[in-house]
Amino acid sequence: SFKVFNPTFKFHRISGALVTNFKETTDQVEVKYLDIKTSTIQQVNGQKLVICAGAINSYRLVANSL
C-alpha cells in the first residue's frame, strides 16, 4: 500500500462548513466558509489548499474565487 507522511504538513478538516471562496496572497491562502451551525462567515488561513469537492463543486469554488 502507498502511504504519504510528512510531519510538517497538517490537514484541517472543518465539519459543518460550506467553503464559499479562497484567495491566494504572497505567503498564504485565505479560505472563507459558511459555518452551517451559526450561519456566520468564518475565515481560516494556511500555506496550501487542497480542493477535493468533486468536479462540479471544485469548479464552482475556483470560479467563485477568481
Side-chain angles (χ1 to χ4, degrees), residues 1-6:
S1 73
F2 179 73
K3 292 184 181 182
V4 176
F5 177 73
N6 184 340

Side-chain angles (χ1 to χ4, degrees), residues 5-44:
F5 177 73
N6 184 340
T8 61
F9 188 76
K10 295 181 183 178
F11 285 97
H12 295 280
R13 182 175 179 186
I14 304 169
S15 296
L18 175 65
V19 176
T20 57
N21 64 350
F22 65 90
K23 181 172 83 171
E24 294 179 276
T25 63
T26 55
D27 60 341
Q28 67 180 359
V29 180
E30 300 170 354
V31 178
K32 290 189 179 177
Y33 66 93
L34 174 65
D35 185 322
I36 303 300
K37 276 186 178 177
T38 63
S39 297
T40 59
I41 298 293
Q42 303 290 328
Q43 179 176 316
V44 292

Side-chain angles (χ1 to χ4, degrees), residues 37-62:
K37 276 186 178 177
T38 63
S39 297
T40 59
I41 298 293
Q42 303 290 328
Q43 179 176 316
V44 292
N45 300 331
Q47 293 178 345
K48 299 184 190 286
L49 173 64
V50 177
I51 301 173
C52 301
I56 294 171
N57 288 324
S58 293
Y59 175 80
R60 177 193 55 82
L61 178 56
V62 172

